Amino acid sequence: MKGIIAAVIAIAFITGCTTTPNRLRDGGPDETYVSNKGVKEVAMCIAKDWENRYVVVTRELEEGISVISLDGGAPRYMADVERRGDNAVTYGYYWRVISIGRDPMMAAIQYCQ
């Protein structure tokens, strides 16, 4: 019986600590930036920096590029870079990250603008 309770608690903990890109978007962006650079230039700059810390995947959006960092297969950070008129608008998201001072992953988004 104790084993079953422990398994249920472990499953609840694991599922409560993961997310998906759409769930990150549902909460709204944590940071938003506007740049006069191109969408691809901003997205590739973010991806290059993030690759020093996490596995990074990119995918095309209807009007831009999404950059996602994976930690153990789960997204931890995401940047959606979209074309809006003559500008690139970047929406930055993160999932349950604790950081003392400026988070370097989010700082990379700002730096790449």
Side-chain angles (χ1 to χ4, degrees):
M1 184 67 171
K2 288 182 183 179
I4 293 172
I5 293 172
V8 169
I9 291 172
I11 290 170
F13 179 76
I14 290 169
T15 58
C17 292
T18 61
T19 192
T20 65
N22 284 333
R23 285 187 190 151
L24 285 173
R25 287 184 190 99
D26 288 345
D30 295 294
E31 296 182 8
T32 303
Y33 298 97
V34 178
S35 173
N36 58 5
K37 294 180 181 178
V39 168
K40 185 174 181 178
E41 181 181 1
V42 172
M44 294 303 103
C45 176
I46 294 167
K48 183 178 179 181
D49 185 276
W50 285 5
E51 286 175 338
N52 292 321
R53 296 173 185 89
Y54 291 99
V55 172
V56 174
V57 296
T58 61
R59 75 173 188 87
E60 283 190 51
L61 301 172
E62 204 170 298
E63 295 292 328
I65 299 171
S66 185
V67 183
I68 304 167
S69 72
L70 301 174
D71 183 16
R76 287 292 172 244
Y77 294 89
M78 183 171 68
D80 286 341
V81 186
E82 300 177 354
R83 171 66 46 211
R84 294 287 180 258
D86 292 335
N87 298 312
V89 178
T90 305
Y91 303 98
Y93 307 86
Y94 61 89
W95 177 253
R96 294 187 183 179
V97 176
I98 298 171
S99 180
I100 297 172
R102 180 73 168 135
D103 184 310
M105 298 289 279
M106 297 304 283
I109 294 173
Q110 183 178 16
Y111 171 79
C112 290
Q113 300 309 303

